Amino acid sequence: MSMRLPDLARWPLPPMEGARSADTVAVLAPKEHIFPLMAIQHQWIGDCTRRYGFADTSETLRHLIYLANAEPAANKRLIFRIKRCLHCHVGARASQHAKVDLAATVHAFQLLFLENVTQKCEIKSLEKTVRIICDYYQSRVKQAALEDVDKGAAKELQLFSTRREEDPRLAAALASLSGSDGPDSGSNDTGRNGGSMGCDLKDLADDVAACSSSETLEAIRRCQVGRGSTSYAEARGESKEETEERRKKELEVEESEEAKKERELIGKAL
């Protein structure tokens, strides 16, 4: 099976200066792997494979891994080190939500990237690292779509058209979705107005594993006042002195320069 095109023609190859030919071949070799995804992530990858003209779901997943690997260091920190604890997909307990296996073929160097991230960021498993990547990019689309459907469609298109400007499959897929096989078709791009192209809002809204807007707001409210409340201290079985000592340490962390920078990163990403 050849994976040298179109993937490797579009993205920078990993540094291999001075590497032997055999090592180069090994790094670029295709590797099959089973990735357990949340059902909504699995469906999203399948939908985007059809929407944007990828050969199969493996290529779509590789595209997301390429995107994550190409992010600036600050963005990678946001993706992999900042725990998005208000989103149940990543923070759910084991087996709380059933997962769907995605059998995919990725490049060997992509597996190495995932393994390095998993180790350095102390993530439970390589498979969870992939779910974090899917969660991050799907959340960006979902957030834009909740503000405006057209913005959601545009954000998704931006993600999946990156480095594919010369890919004829993308143009063909978009033309097919819009129904504009020719200049005289007279068809509108219905996807931009909530149709087949862009973000599937209904599927995202019906996802049982996702927080609703009200649940998210309530979680934020609890997070903001809970740790300093009497009920929180009672739940922990703390004495007054223990609570004061804990809050002193927590406030030091919250007011640290590192915490301020992380909040700024989150604000920019959102």
Side-chain angles (χ1 to χ4, degrees):
M1 175 183 177
S2 174
M3 287 173 54
R4 290 185 174 277
L5 292 174
D7 292 41
L8 296 178
R10 295 197 302 263
W11 295 88
L13 296 177
M16 293 181 289
E17 185 176 352
R20 299 178 304 168
S21 298
D23 295 333
T24 301
V25 171
V27 167
L28 302 181
K31 298 289 184 179
E32 295 182 359
H33 196 87
I34 302 295
F35 298 97
L37 302 178
M38 302 307 302
I40 195 69
Q41 296 172 344
H42 190 281
Q43 179 180 334
W44 183 57
I45 287 178
D47 290 343
C48 291
T49 298
R50 294 183 290 273
R51 268 200 288 270
Y52 302 109
F54 290 105
D56 51 31
T57 51
S58 289
E59 186 183 1
T60 309
L61 182 63
R62 292 197 299 272
H63 184 85
L64 290 174
I65 297 172
Y66 274 123
L67 286 175
N69 198 1
E71 293 280 3
N75 288 17
K76 286 179 180 175
R77 177 179 174 81
L78 177 62
I79 296 172
F80 299 113
R81 288 192 178 274
I82 303 299
K83 293 179 174 60
R84 294 181 291 283
C85 58
L86 299 181
H87 200 289
C88 303
H89 285 166
V90 173
R93 298 181 183 90
S95 75
Q96 181 175 348
H97 300 297
K99 298 178 180 66
V100 182
D101 286 345
L102 177 67
T105 306
V106 300
H107 298 293
F109 67 83
Q110 290 184 315
L111 279 181
L112 289 173
F113 162 69
L114 295 172
E115 289 170 356
N116 288 336
V117 169
T118 300
Q119 181 179 3
K120 291 179 180 179
C121 298
E122 300 181 344
I123 299 171
K124 184 177 181 180
S125 66
L126 180 150
E127 292 76 17
K128 185 168 184 177
T129 298
V130 170
R131 290 195 295 275
I132 289 172
I133 291 173
C134 293
D135 177 82
Y136 177 78
Y137 288 114
Q138 188 177 23
S139 295
R140 303 287 77 77
V141 174
K142 181 179 180 180
Q143 183 181 23
L146 288 174
E147 180 180 346
D148 181 84
V149 174
D150 287 351
K151 289 183 179 180
K155 182 63 176 179
E156 189 181 82
L157 176 59
Q158 177 190 5
L159 289 176
F160 290 104
S161 62
T162 300
R163 290 186 175 270
R164 298 184 68 207
E165 294 81 359
E166 304 300 324
D167 189 346
R169 301 173 303 163
L170 175 63
L174 297 182
S176 176
L177 285 172
S178 66
S180 56
D181 292 330
D184 299 323
S185 65
S187 176
N188 292 324
D189 186 354
T190 57
R192 294 272 179 193
N193 296 311
S196 60
M197 176 181 167
C199 181
D200 289 331
L201 284 179
K202 183 179 185 302
D203 293 332
L204 289 169
D206 291 343
D207 178 16
V208 295
C211 296
S212 67
S213 299
S214 59
E215 288 171 337
T216 300
L217 292 173
E218 178 64 15
I220 293 173
R221 184 190 67 78
R222 289 199 306 270
C223 288
Q224 288 176 333
V225 302
R227 286 183 171 273
S229 67
T230 301
S231 58
Y232 186 84
E234 290 176 352
R236 291 174 57 93
E238 294 177 335
S239 65
K240 181 179 179 181
E241 291 75 17
E242 289 172 333
T243 299
E244 291 176 351
E245 183 64 24
R246 172 177 59 82
R247 286 301 295 154
K248 180 181 178 181
K249 293 179 180 178
E250 290 174 347
L251 288 172
E252 288 177 356
V253 173
E254 292 170 10
E255 295 173 1
S256 67
E257 289 301 317
E258 183 179 2
K260 291 177 182 178
K261 290 179 181 179
E262 288 182 349
R263 287 195 291 269
E264 289 176 1
L265 280 174
I266 293 173
K268 291 178 181 178
L270 298 179

